[in-house]
Amino acid sequence: MSEMSGAAALMAALEKEKVEFIFGLPGGANLPIYDALVDSKIRHILVRHEQSAAHMADGYARIKRKAGVCFATSGPGATNLVTGIATAYADSSPIIAVTGQVALPMIGKDAFQETDIIGVTNPCTKYAFQPRVASEIPEMVKKSFYIAESGRPGPVLVDIPKDVQQQITRMEFPEYIKVRGYNPVVDADLSEINKACEMLLKAEKPIIMAGGGVILSGAFSELQALAELLSIPVVTTFKGKGAFPENHQLALGPIGMHGHAEANKMVLEADCILAIGARFSDRTVGRFDEFGKDINVIHFDVDPAEIGKNKSVNAAVIGDVKSSLRSLIKLIPKNFKTNEEITKLWMARKRELVNYYEDSIKDYSREITAKKALKKLRELLPAEGIVTTEVGQCQMWASLHFDVISPGTFFSSTGLGTMGFGFPASIGAKAAKTDVPVVDIAGDGSFNMTENSLAVSVLEELPVIVFLLNNQMLGMVAQWQRTFYNRRYSGVHQRNCPDYCKLAESYGAQAFRVSSMDELDKAIKNSLKSDIATVIDIPIDPDEDVYPFVAPGTGLKDMIIGA
Amino acid sequence: MTNKKSVFDEENANKMYILSVIVENKPGVLFRITNLFRSRNFNIESITVGITEKPDLSRMTITTVSDVKTLEQLVKQLQKLIDVIQINVLNKENAVYRELALIKMNAKDPTTRIEIANFASIYRGNIMDISNETITVEIIGTPDKIDAFKNLVSSYGIIQVARTGVSALPRGAVDDDL
Ligand SMILES: Cc1ncc(C[n+]2csc(CCOP(=O)(O)OP(=O)(O)O)c2C)c(N)n1
Ligand SMILES: [Mg+2]
């Protein structure tokens, strides 16, 4: 036991959690914390906007599979974090946001830079703490990490009044904590696993739908083992993209609004769906009432509240999906053989669909298209390279045309769809894994929202590659206006401003503008060789649409494959 | 065929449920719970909060009218809240439940006052206040009983009503140890 300030206790508690990075920006209400930071071993990454600090912590968490930490001051600093916190919440990503707050006697007085940030973030945090005395800080920090990382992960807010940061007192750092009322790990019900196993074994056309939960629990090898053991084709949700190697012969890729055509088609032909760590979101299944109708649907998830929320299911296995999958695999009899004739037919159907759509989905013709550019990126980027995306057409093209080979190397803002997420998140990912290249597949509109993180990428030597599919448009919105509003464009023209190469160079980053596939080839190779932040500006046609497309409110069966 | 349909109706029918929820007794908990109802579009009829036999725990009694599916989601979402420690789903059969209402009525005429006092005593109510113009009655019972009394006296002109919402406990022995 020793005497120290609340701020010093915060830093010590973070060190005990083995925090390597803090992404943040100081202000009046967290000055004591920033002062304590001077004496800490933890590396602080100064951001240019707090939203990006939260995205960086999020990107770090998704690759490290451990909570990321961000700091902001009270009031506007804290509210700037909100988009990042909501993004992490929607994608079940563990981040710890530490905000400064006005001193306790000032709370409720509408003091300068006072915002009730706990109230503001309530619907998008898993939990929030506000210590009233400094001695509560060590235990609250430990609980924050426990809550953020366990069960279904999510963001936790720690809002610390300035006087509590300054208060000097005796501190105790607990080794063990217990949060009454929070039991994140439940042992899966064996009888439900049995039921699931029987359904799967007797199915003739089973399919696996792997969601983000597979990535969160790192159940890659279990998923692959199960799929191979029973020869079950695998589709993913968009969040689950890359849970299964997309070059595998059983892989069909993501389903959903802009899912792969063959995946959307095949999931409707299945006679049994095993959904693993997925929440049957509207973007994924189209219509709740049509998806998985009249067939056995099995649901594995860590969150009991997901069972039956959007979709009634026939078997529900609640628990960490990695261990549930292990139990399921153990139940499959050693001598079990799939009926070869039936499996052959199902596999033939898969090939037939892949070939059919390869022929019938027309390629957009131009020297450089999004599809060609992304195929080129895949060709040149090593399999273990990490890829994230911005939001819009760029994101959906990435989903369609960039195959993830090494599981867990792809992520995106899939739940909230936050423009401006990808670039700062990619910097966070780079911090988590410095020895692999990290690429943000970006749209011009999205990149514009958080491009000031170029300063961070350059100065902190966390180089990432911005692969900018530049259509000078808020392209996805433009596509909807073309499709549903009779080409009445409204508020979508970026008008070639700014010049992204000059912008990048002004930050000290490297930039390439390419006008042919050859130049793109060279630019990617050069970027991969150099260790400096790079923007590759790839002009593409503003009229290029993303297909296939399942219009909102319609089912996967109503998928449109071209104009 | 008809059989099947009636089962279906049963499941979809709206019924009254009473949720007895043990929560941490600390600031912000009531806010988190009511915010959950708002953001997830759950309907609640009444909510009461009070301290339990243990000073660090509060019991919330929430009444809701819903179908089984919605109720299940409501319970699961509540369970996810870290400050929620235990939830008991009660109904009219397995719980004792009571509500208190104060009802103020017009009663300028002395015979009216006598009539209302008579009704009140049939309902085992108490006269809490009488003035030249008004009479205020306290009724304790199930929400149905309070509604019935309100209907009975509505012709006199009800001026103000204050209801506490339902408080409830499960019947019989206690099997949880908190
Ligand atoms: C913060 C935010 N604002 C608005 C939107 C709505 N929106 C979705 S996609 C999109 C266009 C994105 O443009 P860009 O980044 O250039 O990508 P493109 O679709 O052109 O590939 C917009 C405005 C959003 N998802 N996020
Ligand atoms: Mg664009």
Side-chain angles (χ1 to χ4, degrees), chain B residues 103-152:
Chain B
I103 301 169
K104 185 186 288 178
M105 289 149 285
N106 273 321
K108 293 199 178 94
D109 169 4
T111 54
T112 305
R113 294 206 278 268
I114 292 167
E115 278 172 30
I116 292 176
N118 280 339
F119 285 142
S121 83
I122 294 168
Y123 276 78
R124 296 175 206 272
N126 292 313
I127 311 295
M128 304 303 289
D129 180 53
I130 288 197
S131 71
N132 284 336
E133 313 244 308
T134 65
I135 180 166
T136 303
V137 175
E138 171 209 71
I139 302 285
I140 296 172
T142 63
D144 289 349
K145 177 177 162 187
I146 293 169
D147 289 341
F149 183 80
K150 264 181 61 196
N151 281 336
L152 190 62

Side-chain angles (χ1 to χ4, degrees), chain A residues 393-394 442-446 469-476 494:
Chain A
Q393 292 182 307
C394 53
D444 46 317
S446 301
L469 297 171
N470 190 351
N471 52 10
Q472 300 173 33
M473 275 278 186
L474 300 175
M476 184 52 93
Q494 304 271 101

Side-chain angles (χ1 to χ4, degrees), chain A residues 212-393:
Chain A
V214 175
I215 298 175
L216 283 168
S217 84
F220 307 122
S221 55
E222 289 79 5
L223 171 64
Q224 192 166 338
L226 177 70
E228 286 171 355
L229 203 59
L230 300 181
S231 303
I232 308 179
V234 180
V235 300
T236 68
T237 65
F238 181 43
K239 173 118 197 281
K241 181 178 169 70
F244 189 74
E246 291 186 294
N247 59 348
H248 193 285
Q249 58 156 347
L250 289 168
L252 281 155
I255 58 168
M257 180 173 276
H258 289 293
H260 292 207
E262 54 273 21
N264 278 347
K265 188 84 182 143
M266 194 125 166
V267 82
L268 294 179
E269 294 182 6
D271 65 355
C272 178
I273 299 175
L274 168 60
I276 311 170
R279 62 189 172 93
F280 299 93
S281 86
D282 52 329
R283 283 283 150 122
T284 298
V285 305
R287 292 178 58 110
F288 301 139
D289 53 346
E290 283 179 15
F291 187 82
K293 197 172 162 222
D294 301 329
I295 64 169
N296 279 333
V297 179
I298 306 163
H299 194 181
F300 281 34
D301 208 285
V302 73
D303 181 357
E306 284 306 334
I307 309 294
K309 186 183 80 181
N310 289 350
K311 179 87 210 142
S312 302
V313 295
N314 307 81
V317 177
I318 301 165
D320 172 48
V321 298
K322 189 182 175 95
S323 63
S324 301
L325 278 175
R326 284 191 177 168
S327 311
L328 173 65
I329 291 167
K330 272 198 215 126
L331 286 179
I332 298 167
K334 286 272 166 319
N335 54 0
F336 180 82
K337 273 208 115 34
T338 48
N339 182 327
E340 261 179 51
E341 281 311 302
I342 292 174
T343 308
K344 245 192 221 155
L345 281 178
W346 193 220
M347 290 298 116
R349 180 65 180 147
K350 175 188 178 262
R351 278 190 302 278
E352 185 184 10
L353 284 172
V354 171
N355 294 338
Y356 171 77
Y357 286 115
E358 216 163 65
D359 294 343
S360 51
I361 297 182
K362 278 185 257 100
D363 272 343
Y364 200 77
S365 80
R366 246 205 158 199
E367 164 64 20
I368 305 182
T369 65
K371 180 174 175 180
K372 282 198 245 173
L374 289 164
K375 297 264 177 210
K376 176 59 78 182
L377 176 66
R378 176 67 290 169
E379 182 192 318
L380 298 177
L381 185 73
E384 67 279 7
I386 293 166
V387 169
T388 179
T389 79
E390 298 296 347
V391 170
Q393 292 182 307

Side-chain angles (χ1 to χ4, degrees), chain A residues 22 46 66 164 174 190 225 241 280 371 384 441 485 523 540:
Chain A
I22 290 164
L46 175 62
K66 197 180 160 332
V164 179
L190 210 61
K241 181 178 169 70
F280 299 93
K371 180 174 175 180
E384 67 279 7
I441 296 173
Y485 294 88
I540 57 168

Side-chain angles (χ1 to χ4, degrees), chain A residues 12-70:
Chain A
L14 292 174
E15 281 170 13
K16 281 187 191 296
E17 295 299 321
K18 305 208 164 50
V19 171
E20 303 172 287
F21 292 92
I22 290 164
F23 307 94
L25 199 150
N30 64 358
L31 274 169
I33 294 176
Y34 269 79
D35 186 59
L37 198 56
V38 175
D39 302 319
S40 171
K41 294 194 290 280
I42 303 176
R43 184 167 159 204
H44 179 257
I45 307 286
L46 175 62
V47 297
R48 301 298 166 108
H49 188 294
E50 292 87 347
Q51 178 188 344
S52 297
H55 291 328
M56 286 175 198
D58 186 347
Y60 175 87
R62 294 196 206 205
I63 293 304
K64 202 80 177 180
R65 305 238 320 276
K66 197 180 160 332
V69 180
C70 56

